[in-house]
Amino acid sequence: MSSPRSSATPSGVEPWNVRITPKTIRQVSVVCFIAWVASVYDFTLFGTLLPVIAEEFGWSVAQSAAINTYATIGVFIVALAVGTIIDRMGRKKALMVLMLGGAVASGLTGAAVGAVSLIIIRSFSGFSMSEEVVNAVYLNEMYKEAKSKGLMYSLVQGGWPVGALVSAGLSALTLPLIGWRWSFVVAAVLSIIVVILAARLPESPTFAAMQEVRRRRAAGDTAGAQALADEHDLEEAAHHATGVKDVFTPQLRRHTTCLSLAWFFNWFSIQVFSVLGTTILVEAKGVSFDNALIILVLSNAVGFVGYVFHGWLGDKIGRKWTVVLGWIAGGVVSLVMLLGPSNAAFIIPLYALTLFFLTGPYAALLFYMGESFPPQVRGMGANVAHVMAPLGGIAGSGLLTILLTAGVDTGWAAIITGTGGLLVSALCMAGTRTIHDAHQRSTVFA
């Protein structure tokens, strides 16, 4: 049965048969990179400026950590809807919706009048923080036939350290001029630009094929539906509506659980060393706030190299083991940094290496998430694991708050929460599925 004429693109080619050219891949990659920079810019901006916000409202370090915990609970609640948005609305529309939600969160942050309003507003940043789930799904499908796709993806996900770098750099330059409130308005403008750019991108042919398979089956064209499903390597269940239960089938249960726990515990470390990096450097190592911003800028520059390195390594030895080995190395380096002397010559390189091994493996992890779930649950599976990030942030921030309130030294609180989270997350990651990629030259760790 032929497809309806309205489903064809302006060129007359059905959306599931659109050829993904190198030009298309470049366009999608650039927009997804900018989207991720914008998302991380807002996310790290909040953590970077939290000491300044706390000073204006008169909050202690423990109170700031508590407020960050409550805001992260809101992020988790909002992020629960993302998997459904991706698998029902499509990859392109999901990107636009999430970035629009992020723009609203960024813009309204500057209008916060106290703890309650700030917590509610920051909850909606759960949309933009879930943009990397769209990247994991959308780019996995757009890079389907590409070689060195892990390296390509690492350049896009390198938007994390770039976004953090831009956030810390602009904060240092513009904070004295426009204050913390207008800094978040700038973040909102960047997100809106992404929405405009994303409107011109094509939908993933894989998602378009799934929609057409469902339409053909509903119309009674079972043979045509099966032929199209086979052509796009879709599984039999691709025409069914999917839910959370579909990522906990016997074949996927262990994988989904281990992957989710890896995200959960690693975000203990993200909270300590990335989101609250300035607070830890100031309180645990005696670094001034201005110097902490400078260290953050330099460290995130190194972090970008970490993304590229781990993306390249994932193509060689497999993405799963790249993540495991990277996080173990990060745990060791962070421990040495926190126990070592408090001088710049020691702190700067070790903090940079901590971010190198903490955030760098995410280039391999995010792409691995996309390829480790079948197409019909790709958005749901990736999001089920990803929503554990804010839960881990809640638990990590909460544990840090409890330890600080109990009078534990900030350095030891960071070791228990941050270093401990890194090492445990590596062990959880080791329990996930091993994916054999035809384009990988080596599977020595498979």
Side-chain angles (χ1 to χ4, degrees):
M1 181 180 294
S2 61
S3 61
R5 195 172 181 80
S6 59
S7 65
T9 63
S11 62
V13 179
E14 298 92 342
W16 54 89
N17 286 328
V18 170
R19 180 172 172 266
I20 305 302
T21 65
K23 179 180 179 181
T24 301
I25 289 178
R26 285 194 297 271
Q27 290 174 334
V28 171
S29 298
V30 169
V31 174
C32 286
F33 172 81
I34 298 174
W36 191 222
V37 169
S39 299
V40 176
Y41 178 91
D42 168 78
F43 177 67
T44 55
L45 186 67
F46 179 64
T48 300
L49 297 184
L50 189 55
V52 178
I53 298 172
E55 183 178 357
E56 177 172 321
F57 289 116
W59 301 331
S60 66
V61 175
Q63 287 174 317
S64 296
I67 289 168
N68 185 64
T69 300
Y70 296 136
T72 308
I73 293 174
V75 168
F76 165 72
I77 294 173
V78 170
L80 288 174
V82 172
T84 300
I85 291 174
I86 296 172
D87 284 336
R88 300 289 176 83
M89 294 183 64
R91 312 342 185 182
K92 168 187 170 179
K93 288 182 180 178
L95 174 60
M96 296 173 65
V97 169
L98 298 190
M99 293 309 299
L100 190 59
V104 172
S106 297
L108 291 181
T109 297
V113 296
V116 176
S117 62
L118 188 63
I119 291 169
I120 294 173
I121 292 167
R122 293 308 302 171
S123 296
F124 288 94
S125 66
F127 282 121
S128 59
M129 270 311 297
S130 297
E131 190 278 332
E132 66 179 342
V133 181
V134 180
N135 281 359
V137 176
Y138 191 23
L139 294 180
N140 185 279
E141 294 173 355
M142 299 301 281
Y143 291 172
K144 192 173 182 179
E145 302 300 326
K147 293 184 179 180
S148 300
K149 51 191 175 184
L151 177 59
M152 293 165 58
Y153 186 81
S154 72
L155 295 174
V156 176
Q157 283 301 114
W160 175 285
V162 171
L165 179 66
V166 172
S167 174
L170 286 182
S171 296
L173 293 174
T174 64
L175 186 61
L177 302 176
I178 63 177
W180 68 267
R181 295 182 183 275
W182 281 100
S183 295
F184 284 99
V185 175
V186 173
V189 172
L190 183 57
S191 293
I192 292 173
I193 291 174
V194 173
V195 175
I196 296 172
L197 293 174
R200 304 183 63 182
L201 296 180
E203 181 53 88
S204 157
T206 300
F207 178 77
M210 285 193 295
Q211 285 188 308
E212 178 63 9
V213 167
R214 291 167 184 164
R215 189 199 68 77
R216 291 183 185 184
R217 284 191 178 274
D221 184 13
T222 304
Q226 188 59 52
L228 184 60
D230 292 341
E231 181 182 340
H232 287 269
D233 298 322
L234 301 179
E235 296 186 3
E236 172 61 25
H239 64 282
H240 295 301
T242 57
V244 174
K245 63 180 177 58
D246 295 298
V247 297
F248 286 99
T249 60
Q251 295 80 9
L252 293 174
R253 187 181 300 128
R254 173 182 167 179
H255 172 64
T256 301
T257 301
C258 288
L259 188 60
S260 298
L261 289 175
W263 274 90
F264 177 79
F265 286 110
N266 195 257
W267 266 68
F268 280 42
S269 304
I270 293 292
Q271 283 290 320
V272 172
F273 298 122
S274 185
V275 179
L276 299 175
T278 49
T279 300
I280 296 301
L281 288 172
V282 170
E283 299 296 331
K285 305 305 293 183
V287 178
S288 70
F289 180 74
D290 290 340
N291 287 337
L293 281 178
I294 294 173
I295 293 174
L296 218 57
V297 170
L298 295 175
S299 298
N300 278 290
V302 174
F304 178 80
V305 179
Y307 265 80
V308 176
F309 171 77
H310 287 92
W312 168 83
L313 186 62
D315 280 334
K316 303 297 182 182
I317 69 172
R319 288 175 251 286
K320 167 185 170 178
W321 292 107
T322 294
V323 176
V324 173
L325 295 175
W327 284 349
I328 290 175
V332 173
V333 172
S334 66
L335 180 63
V336 174
M337 177 194 70
L338 290 168
L339 292 178
S342 298
N343 63 72
F346 184 81
I347 295 173
I348 292 176
L350 288 183
Y351 184 72
L353 278 175
T354 296
L355 292 187
F356 181 93
F357 289 118
L358 169 60
T359 63
Y362 275 86
L365 176 64
L366 268 296
F367 198 81
Y368 167 81
M369 282 178 29
E371 67 186 0
S372 67
F373 288 100
Q376 71 274 11
V377 293
R378 191 162 281 155
M380 183 63 69
N383 196 58
V384 164
H386 186 264
V387 295
M388 296 303 289
L391 277 184
I394 294 165
S397 186
L399 177 59
L400 187 65
T401 301
I402 291 172
L403 292 172
L404 292 174
T405 303
V408 176
D409 175 77
T410 305
W412 277 106
I415 290 172
I416 295 170
T417 309
T419 301
L422 250 173
L423 295 175
V424 173
S425 64
L427 294 177
C428 293
M429 189 66 195
T432 60
R433 302 170 73 190
T434 298
I435 304 299
H436 297 272
D437 189 330
H439 289 131
Q440 288 176 10
R441 297 179 185 175
S442 172
T443 55
V444 293
F445 286 94

